[in-house]
Amino acid sequence: MPAHRVVALVREAEDQARLRGALRGTGVLLPCVSANDVLAALAEQQAIAVVVTAYGPTVTDAIALTRVLRTR
């Protein structure tokens, strides 16, 4: 069975490590540094989930990305 792909707009290394741990070897985390990177990753590869950080200084990026994804 192929690994699940999870695209994440999560910049902090600790948060990325938690996500990798949650996947427990059954998935691949594709960390992104911008909303454009997330959209590019989704265009290039199938993903089962998109994770965004919804707190701190990046919350505005998360809200904007969520709106774009919902529109599409």
Side-chain angles (χ1 to χ4, degrees):
M1 172 186 283
H4 300 296
R5 289 186 180 89
V6 176
V7 177
L9 181 56
V10 176
R11 295 180 180 109
E12 298 297 324
E14 298 83 19
D15 293 335
Q16 290 179 18
R18 268 196 299 278
L19 287 169
R20 283 189 181 94
L23 291 170
R24 293 185 185 91
T26 63
V28 175
L29 179 66
L30 302 170
C32 299
V33 294
S34 72
N36 287 336
D37 290 345
V38 170
L39 296 173
L42 291 173
E44 293 173 8
Q45 302 182 37
Q46 289 184 338
I48 63 163
V50 176
V51 178
V52 295
T53 302
Y55 60 86
T58 60
V59 71
T60 325
D61 293 341
I63 292 168
L65 176 60
T66 301
R67 287 183 176 146
V68 168
L69 292 174
R70 288 185 70 188
T71 300
R72 288 184 182 193

